Amino acid sequence: MSQLQAKKNKKKSVHNRKGMSDYDRVLTAYNYLRSNCIYAYRGWQYNYANTAWGALVYGEAQCSGYARAMKALCDAIGVDCRYVHADSKASNPSHQWNQVRVGDKWCILDAQSGGFLLGSRTWKKKAGMSWDTKGLPTCNVTDYKK
């Protein structure tokens, strides 16, 4: 078993309890990643910072590594998650993040910048992000309310 799979299994067994809601599972994965990974200021090419491995094993990532790690964690805990890349019209065209499904709503989640269950309106207006939605589920317009 790879180290990444072992960490994912440990994460699932330690934190993902039966009966947890989608919201609680996503929040647990998000908090785990935010607490155990720092931004890779030296660049994406060091310590695999653009991969889930870099985020989960080395604890260092850039946006792509955070987004890939969040996808891996969500896959491990049974939460539908998509990897999203900004388009050329975005304030940062190279930025990446996730869309996650909580209950029946799809929301924006950006573990690198601290965005948790945002609606597309907030993400577009406050962060200046835009993306090609082709092939992605329709994101909720407003922020998630628990």
Side-chain angles (χ1 to χ4, degrees):
M1 180 182 310
S2 72
Q3 283 182 314
L4 178 58
Q5 188 61 44
K7 278 195 169 212
K8 283 170 43 177
N9 288 345
K10 180 181 179 196
K11 160 81 180 88
K12 189 173 181 178
S13 67
V14 171
H15 298 288
N16 191 18
R17 303 287 185 226
K18 281 189 173 195
M20 286 178 76
S21 67
D22 288 347
Y23 176 89
D24 290 331
R25 289 185 289 160
V26 170
L27 180 61
T28 299
Y30 174 83
N31 285 337
Y32 177 85
L33 189 53
R34 296 274 301 165
S35 297
N36 291 286
C37 187
I38 60 169
Y39 187 78
Y41 287 102
R42 294 186 304 156
W44 62 265
Q45 65 274 33
Y46 297 100
N47 287 337
Y48 303 96
N50 66 336
T51 68
W53 183 268
L56 297 171
V57 175
Y58 290 112
E60 184 176 32
Q62 290 196 343
C63 61
S64 55
Y66 274 94
R68 288 179 173 113
M70 194 68 215
K71 171 77 171 111
L73 291 172
C74 284
D75 287 350
I77 61 174
V79 171
D80 204 355
C81 179
R82 306 295 162 86
Y83 180 86
V84 182
H85 196 293
D87 64 18
S88 62
K89 298 174 201 149
S91 60
N92 179 355
S94 64
H95 192 59
Q96 290 123 62
W97 62 90
N98 302 99
Q99 280 185 207
V100 295
R101 188 174 75 191
V102 176
D104 61 349
K105 296 180 181 178
W106 283 90
C107 300
I108 303 294
L109 189 147
D110 186 347
Q112 184 252 305
S113 70
F116 184 71
L117 302 185
L118 303 174
S120 60
R121 184 182 304 138
T122 299
W123 195 234
K124 289 174 183 176
K125 189 173 183 176
K126 291 187 178 177
M129 289 297 154
S130 60
W131 62 101
D132 181 3
T133 59
K134 185 178 179 182
L136 292 171
T138 301
C139 197
N140 201 39
V141 175
T142 58
D143 299 348
Y144 185 85
K145 302 282 189 244
K146 186 173 177 193

